[in-house]
Amino acid sequence: MSQDSSPPPYLRVAERLRQRIQSGDLAPGDVLPSLAEIRTETGYSGTVGQRAYAVLVDEGLVVARPGRGHFVRSQEERPVLVRRPRVAAGSGSPTEAQLTVQGVRASWDSESTTARADARIAERLGITAGDPVMHTAYVYRADGEPVQLADSWEPMAVTGGTLVVLPEAGPYAGIGVADRMALIGIEVDTPVERVTARGASRAEAALLGTTPAAPVLAVERTYYDRAAGRAVETADIVLLGSRWAAEYGTRPTPADGPADAQG
């Protein structure tokens, strides 16, 4: 009795879509057929379509956009962006300022909600687990392409009841942690950052438009009140490794020249 040696259905569906992409029938940025459309066209279940797209995502040909569908991924290399941990006071959003000076248009989505600090965040903020915090989740884009994720936590004991309690709403929306804290009388230094390299999770990859396990820089950042020494904000930042280089330190400004000799 012979066995069927043909590829399983999900690989056949993946190959059909791969051929359309590689032939140029589907161009970078084009939306791919929905799972319902694949089911109608092929007669296979939605699970087959999901597995086919998982293969193409892992190959780097397709990007999954939560709530929007699957898109052909551009294979064009993007320029590397430079990230610095601090910008000059009054520059507004640090990420926007850094991208703008590099000739890139910055945009972002954010969502703020009150939450209770878990043990990990409480330790970083020097508060008790369960204490109220303002949690804000961000997706940052450079010229429309997602390049950075961030989750920020601020103790409500610091900002609660002030005009800066919502980082991205109100009269001081989007100006960055340092400038917002200055408005309530708190001066912060350059944040403390711990940077590691790892692979993107599947959820991070979907938001960043890359493949799972693609290299990312993971930054644990904490701002401290200079006078009191207490933490006033901590964040987990995920930077797409193919788009970012991190730069630390400040280049010295040369003197105008030797002073004139005195007679």
Side-chain angles (χ1 to χ4, degrees):
M1 182 177 179
S2 62
Q3 293 183 341
D4 184 2
S5 60
S6 63
Y10 77 94
L11 289 181
R12 293 202 292 271
V13 172
E15 177 58 22
R16 287 174 57 182
L17 294 169
R18 186 185 297 110
Q19 289 178 356
R20 292 186 63 189
I21 293 170
Q22 292 175 340
S23 70
D25 179 43
L26 290 168
D30 282 354
V31 64
L32 290 153
S34 67
L35 297 179
E37 289 170 334
I38 289 177
R39 185 168 58 248
T40 299
E41 291 173 5
T42 65
Y44 295 131
S45 69
T47 301
V48 168
Q50 289 175 336
R51 294 186 67 187
Y53 276 132
V55 169
L56 297 176
V57 167
D58 287 344
E59 291 177 357
L61 293 175
V62 169
V63 174
R65 303 284 192 210
R68 296 173 55 197
H70 294 82
F71 297 79
V72 180
R73 182 173 184 265
S74 173
Q75 303 302 305
E76 180 183 345
E77 291 294 330
R78 297 291 193 269
V80 174
L81 305 167
V82 176
R83 176 186 178 272
R84 297 175 180 85
R86 185 77 181 269
V87 296
S91 298
S93 164
T95 301
E96 181 179 25
Q98 292 175 44
L99 292 176
T100 299
V101 78
Q102 296 176 72
V104 176
R105 176 178 54 84
S107 60
W108 62 93
D109 297 325
S110 66
E111 182 178 1
S112 294
T113 56
T114 55
R116 298 285 176 177
D118 63 21
R120 181 177 68 94
I121 297 304
E123 181 179 5
R124 283 162 55 176
L125 289 173
I127 60 178
T128 301
D131 280 357
V133 292
M134 182 61 67
H135 171 225
T136 306
Y138 296 88
V139 178
Y140 291 96
R141 296 180 176 83
D143 289 336
E145 294 291 329
V147 294
Q148 175 179 324
L149 309 176
D151 283 278
S152 166
W153 296 267
E154 296 176 355
M156 293 295 286
V158 174
T159 61
T162 74
L163 291 176
V164 301
V165 65
L166 292 170
E168 299 297 328
Y172 304 112
I175 64 173
V177 175
D179 287 348
R180 287 175 48 250
M181 291 299 164
L183 289 168
I184 57 174
I186 296 174
E187 184 180 2
V188 298
D189 270 321
T190 299
V192 175
E193 295 192 343
R194 181 175 183 267
V195 184
T196 57
R198 59 173 174 80
S201 69
R202 186 166 288 276
E204 291 167 344
L207 290 171
L208 289 169
T210 188
T211 58
V216 296
L217 295 177
V219 183
E220 291 183 5
R221 179 194 72 193
T222 304
Y223 276 99
Y224 292 90
D225 180 339
R226 176 180 291 181
R230 63 176 174 171
V232 296
E233 188 263 3
T234 195
D236 288 335
I237 301 168
V238 178
L239 303 162
L240 188 58
S242 61
R243 294 302 309 274
W244 286 100
E247 184 174 283
Y248 293 86
T250 303
R251 182 178 298 179
T253 302
D256 291 335
D260 292 337
Q262 299 296 315

